């Protein structure tokens, strides 16, 4: 009876919540959608007042007191508790060295992620407060993505720190009225999706499979080793000068940095996959202006939607960017439509993904939420640890020094490949900003180090050439020595030295009958195959000179 009395409300999930819940139940050990935020707090912090401020936020926002229930064959529901107690743990690390503190924090992050959350028990968030010096604390906020998104964090932090200021007698700010998350769910249920269906069917017409990144990126995770992390993250940071140059170019062209990065990622996907028609996911705020008060609501509103881009090498970069900008404006009208529904309207086969990578642009500066108060605290070194269920997540953090982070599934991508990927992204972005209006094909992507490797290191090919013996004569000697060894393969096809020598001789005899003699030029037009090797050897054996032709 007590449990029944502690129920405030029961209502359905949003489509985004349903998708996340499905992924979590499908792979409960993955750690996906467990969010961690770490930051440094500086000042004379009163721990009890700080804890009470957080507890007050839980009582104010129903979504922070929410749990989830589900039964096979029935739609899941979210249940709001009237009262919950926030798990809050304080630890004093002042006796530990700086290096030791860093090591302890990394260990705590890992163990906290593995601990996860029981989705049928509220609250789905907890706090660790770690004192590292007399006036410095590390705050670790862990929460499940089912109840919060990144855009909600500044709202929540501002409210907590305003309440903290009131509790320590510094300032008494009256919290603004809020709308409960339940209002958003009801608004979603009233939406007519007929126009959205027309838009998305047209936008994804004739797109049948996501772009596949070429070989060389495959994962190397040893799944039998429990110490290996399935998901990993690497980042690259632009200098302040490079960041200023990017921001200046973006401003001059009337674009956004987010669009500029999306364009760079589209170019990179096209170069990697060899496809000109690419699709990736874009995380949007999902806060429709049609619902009054949504900008101040706390909960899960973000959505991930497909962005389809045609990367035409001969198109000028600037006109292409303007086209992307216009399509982006169209997309925002339908950003509340759940991805699961968009997927059904697409021509992608059921069960397959629309895209393998997503781009996230973090334009919610958490530090700013604390600078407006007079509570004696400042916030620094904000870091978010986020894992999605996508093999690749590109996160853009637009500080004064732009940062790009790639989190990835190591079962699909190896560490060295992702490091190269970050270098390629940096090169593309700087190349887009360096030239006034290049063609897309002129946008550089090979890093300076790779260019040096290609042109210098790997070009040291000088070797002694035995001029007394021709290439085909050396091949014939090898064929006599090892006739049964494999000489050449192409896919599943292969030829031994004896078979290749026999085929080349047949071609040479045929060419001699056609009149090929020494120094006769013979055009050779073929795709990469066994036949191109047979052709080269046959022409040489006939005495001719082969002239490769591009098919």
């Amino acid at each position: 009876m007590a449990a029944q009395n502690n129920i405030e409300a029961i209502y359905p999930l949003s489509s985004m919540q349903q998708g996340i819940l499905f992924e979590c139940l499908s792979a409960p050990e993955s750690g996906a959608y467990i969010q961690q935020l770490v930051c440094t707090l500086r000042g004379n912090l009163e721990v009890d007042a700080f804890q009470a401020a957080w507890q007050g936020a839980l009582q104010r926002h129903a979504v922070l007191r929410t749990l989830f229930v589900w039964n096979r064959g029935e739609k899941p529901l979210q249940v709001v508790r009237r009262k919950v107690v926030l798990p809050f743990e304080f630890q004093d690390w002042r006796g530990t060295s700086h290096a030791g503190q860093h090591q302890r924090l990394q260990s705590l992050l890992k163990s906290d992620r593995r601990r996860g959350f029981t989705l049928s028990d509220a609250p789905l968030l907890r706090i660790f407060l770690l004192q590292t010096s007399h006036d410095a604390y590390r705050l670790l906020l862990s929460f499940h993505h089912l109840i919060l998104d990144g855009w909600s964090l500044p709202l929540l932090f501002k409210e907590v720190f305003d309440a903290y200021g009131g509790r320590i007698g510094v300032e008494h700010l009256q919290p603004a009225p809020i709308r409960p998350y339940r209002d958003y769910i009801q608004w979603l249920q009233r939406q007519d999706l007929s126009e959205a269906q027309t838009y998305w069917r047209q936008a994804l017409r004739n797109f049948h499979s996501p772009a596949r990144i070429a070989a060389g990126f495959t994962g190397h995770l040893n799944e039998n080793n429990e110490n290996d992390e399935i998901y990993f993250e690497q980042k690259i940071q632009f200098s302040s000068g490079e960041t200023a140059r990017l921001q200046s170019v973006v401003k001059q062209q009337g674009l956004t940095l987010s669009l500029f990065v999306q364009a760079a990622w589209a170019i990179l996907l096209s170069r990697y996959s060899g496809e000109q028609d690419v699709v990736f996911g874009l995380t949007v705020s999902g806060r429709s202006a049609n619902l009054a008060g949504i900008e101040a609501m706390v909960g899960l509103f973000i959505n991930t939607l497909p962005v389809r881009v045609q990367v035409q090498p001969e198109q000028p970069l600037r006109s292409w960017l303007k086209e992307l900008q216009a399509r982006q404006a169209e997309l925002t009208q339908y950003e509340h439509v759940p991805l699961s529904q968009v997927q059904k309207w697409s021509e992608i086969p059921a069960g397959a993904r629309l895209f393998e990578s997503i781009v996230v642009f973090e334009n919610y500066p958490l530090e700013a939420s604390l600078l407006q108060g007079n509570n004696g605290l400042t916030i620094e070194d904000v870091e978010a640890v986020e894992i999605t269920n996508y093999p690749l997540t590109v996160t853009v953090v637009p500080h004064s020094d732009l940062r790009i982070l790639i989190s990835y599934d190591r079962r699909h991508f190896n560490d060295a490949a992702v490091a190269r990927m970050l270098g390629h992204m940096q090169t593309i972005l700087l190349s887009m900003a360096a030239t006034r209006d290049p063609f897309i094909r002129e946008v550089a992507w090979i890093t300076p180090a790779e260019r040096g490797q290609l042109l210098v290191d790997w070009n040291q090919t000088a070797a002694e050439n035995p001029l007394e013996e021709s290439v085909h004569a050396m091949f014939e000697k090898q064929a006599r020595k090892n006739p049964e060894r494999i000489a050449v393969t192409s896919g599943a096809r292969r030829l031994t030295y004896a078979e290749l020598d026999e085929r080349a001789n047949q071609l040479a005899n045929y060419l001699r009958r056609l009149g090929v003699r020494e120094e006769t030029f013979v055009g050779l037009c073929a795709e990469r195959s066994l036949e191109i090797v047979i052709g080269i050897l046959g022409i040489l054996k006939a005495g001719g000179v082969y002239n490769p032709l591009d098919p």
Side-chain angles (χ1 to χ4, degrees):
M1 180 65 68
Q4 291 291 331
N5 292 338
N6 198 24
I7 294 177
E8 179 179 295
I10 301 175
Y11 46 89
L13 280 63
S14 71
S15 295
M16 187 68 175
Q17 286 178 311
Q18 289 184 43
I20 291 177
L21 179 62
F22 174 78
E23 296 288 349
C24 292
L25 297 178
S26 301
E29 304 301 321
S30 70
Y33 299 110
I34 294 174
Q35 314 286 87
Q36 295 172 308
L37 185 137
V38 183
C39 61
T40 297
L41 302 178
R42 293 198 180 276
N44 184 22
L45 179 66
E46 295 188 20
V47 176
D48 290 343
F50 189 66
Q51 180 178 359
W54 276 101
Q55 182 65 46
L58 264 67
Q59 291 309 125
R60 184 166 147 83
H61 294 280
V63 72
L64 304 182
R65 292 178 272 116
T66 296
L67 57 89
F68 296 84
V69 294
W70 58 92
N71 290 309
R72 187 183 299 273
E74 298 181 12
K75 283 193 174 184
L77 296 170
Q78 46 191 328
V79 179
V80 180
R81 294 293 191 196
R82 293 185 187 278
K83 292 184 179 181
V84 297
V85 177
L86 170 69
F88 186 100
E89 185 173 338
F90 173 77
Q91 297 180 14
D92 191 341
W93 287 8
R94 283 177 290 180
T96 306
S97 67
H98 180 74
Q101 289 176 359
H102 176 76
Q103 188 174 5
R104 288 181 70 177
L105 179 60
Q106 296 309 309
S107 177
L108 176 60
L109 284 167
K110 183 180 289 189
S111 63
D112 176 69
R113 176 171 293 282
R114 287 181 172 171
R115 174 182 169 188
F117 289 95
T118 302
L119 300 182
S120 57
D121 190 19
L124 298 180
L125 73 162
R126 55 179 170 261
I127 284 179
F128 292 90
L129 185 64
L130 319 165
Q131 187 167 8
T132 55
S133 69
H134 75 282
D135 67 343
Y137 301 78
R138 292 288 271 173
L139 172 68
L140 167 57
L141 169 65
S142 297
F143 60 93
H144 203 284
H145 208 11
L146 276 166
I147 62 169
L148 282 176
D149 59 24
W151 272 266
S152 297
L153 291 179
L155 302 171
L156 182 59
F157 266 73
K158 183 180 187 313
E159 182 175 314
V160 167
F161 279 84
D162 285 348
Y164 169 76
R167 288 182 179 275
I168 64 174
V170 174
E171 52 188 354
H172 300 276
L173 299 176
Q174 188 67 28
I178 58 168
R179 296 190 69 170
Y181 187 68
R182 182 178 188 173
D183 288 1
Y184 170 68
I185 299 293
Q186 294 173 343
W187 177 83
L188 282 177
Q189 293 175 329
R190 295 194 299 268
Q191 300 311 299
D192 180 3
L193 298 182
S194 56
E195 283 189 26
Q197 179 177 0
T198 302
Y199 169 80
W200 285 114
R201 283 193 184 280
Q202 181 62 35
L204 297 172
R205 185 180 178 187
N206 295 327
F207 185 81
H208 303 111
S209 64
R212 302 289 181 183
I213 292 179
F217 289 83
T218 52
H220 56 183
L221 180 69
N222 179 7
E223 296 191 43
N224 295 321
N225 186 350
E226 293 183 358
N227 293 321
D228 275 350
E229 294 289 331
I230 294 178
Y231 292 94
F232 205 63
E233 182 179 87
Q234 295 188 54
K235 62 184 175 183
I236 194 166
Q237 184 164 317
F238 290 68
S239 69
S240 55
E242 291 170 338
T243 304
R245 189 191 323 158
L246 285 169
Q247 291 172 336
S248 175
V249 170
V250 165
K251 186 177 180 180
Q252 289 172 10
Q253 296 186 19
L255 305 172
T256 63
L257 187 57
S258 173
L259 185 82
F260 215 64
V261 173
Q262 290 173 51
W265 185 244
I267 291 174
L268 191 60
L269 281 182
S270 178
R271 302 270 171 93
Y272 280 172
S273 66
E275 303 286 342
Q276 293 184 6
D277 187 5
V278 298
V279 172
F280 58 88
L282 176 67
T283 299
V284 294
S285 71
R287 293 175 182 258
S288 172
N290 295 325
L291 177 59
I294 195 172
E295 70 284 350
M297 293 172 69
V298 169
L300 176 69
F301 301 90
I302 63 165
N303 197 6
T304 300
L305 294 173
V307 175
R308 186 178 186 181
V309 183
Q310 300 289 337
V311 185
Q312 302 289 348
E314 300 303 319
Q315 185 173 1
L317 179 66
R318 184 170 294 186
S319 65
W320 179 64
L321 289 171
K322 290 294 185 184
E323 288 179 7
L324 294 186
Q325 185 181 42
R327 285 201 291 273
Q328 195 105 108
E330 263 191 306
L331 181 148
T332 56
Q333 299 177 48
Y334 308 103
E335 65 179 7
H336 63 279
V337 181
L339 177 60
S340 58
Q341 188 61 63
V342 175
Q343 178 110 6
K344 292 176 184 176
W345 295 332
S346 75
E347 298 175 27
I348 294 285
R353 289 185 187 271
L354 255 174
F355 41 79
E356 299 288 337
S357 63
I358 65 173
V359 176
V360 182
F361 194 81
E362 290 190 353
N363 59 350
Y364 40 89
L366 186 57
E367 295 94 330
S369 67
L370 297 187
L371 296 179
Q372 298 170 1
N374 184 30
N375 48 45
L377 296 175
T378 59
I379 187 168
E380 303 171 358
D381 308 323
V382 179
E383 292 183 38
V385 182
E386 178 178 354
I387 293 176
T388 70
N389 65 315
Y390 292 96
L392 275 176
T393 300
V394 182
T395 303
V396 185
V397 185
H399 290 307
S400 55
D401 293 337
L402 176 68
R403 282 180 290 164
I404 295 180
L405 302 86
I406 294 183
S407 58
Y408 54 100
D409 187 334
R410 297 169 91 191
R411 294 168 298 186
H412 292 83
F413 298 95
N414 65 66
D415 299 340
V418 173
R420 292 199 308 274
M421 193 180 293
L422 282 166
H424 293 158
M425 269 293 283
Q426 184 179 37
T427 303
I428 289 174
L429 282 165
L430 295 178
S431 177
M432 288 168 62
T435 311
R436 188 169 184 84
D437 189 19
F439 293 105
I440 294 176
R441 62 175 166 76
E442 295 174 326
V443 173
W445 67 298
I446 300 298
T447 66
E450 288 174 327
R451 185 174 295 276
Q453 193 175 49
L454 288 169
L455 299 181
V456 180
D457 299 348
W458 290 352
N459 209 27
Q460 304 298 322
T461 56
E464 291 296 326
N465 186 12
L467 297 176
E468 69 278 0
E469 197 168 18
S470 64
V471 171
H472 54 281
M474 288 190 287
F475 169 77
E476 290 167 350
K477 185 187 293 185
Q478 184 70 13
R480 289 192 297 271
K481 184 178 178 181
N482 299 297
E484 299 306 318
R485 286 191 178 180
I486 299 300
V488 61
T489 64
S490 177
R493 300 172 64 200
R494 57 187 60 195
L495 291 174
T496 64
Y497 277 95
E499 291 169 336
L500 178 56
D501 193 40
E502 181 183 1
R503 298 277 294 275
N505 286 336
Q506 291 172 349
L507 178 60
N509 290 330
Y510 174 71
L511 293 175
R512 294 288 290 186
R513 290 197 300 272
L514 292 178
V516 172
R517 297 293 182 267
E518 290 186 9
E519 303 302 320
T520 302
F521 279 87
V522 180
L524 180 59
C525 181
E527 298 285 357
R528 184 186 293 259
S529 60
L530 299 181
E531 284 70 28
I532 201 167
V533 181
I534 295 167
I536 291 171
L537 285 172
I539 293 168
L540 294 176
K541 282 172 175 281
V545 179
Y546 75 89
N547 184 27
L549 306 175
D550 187 344

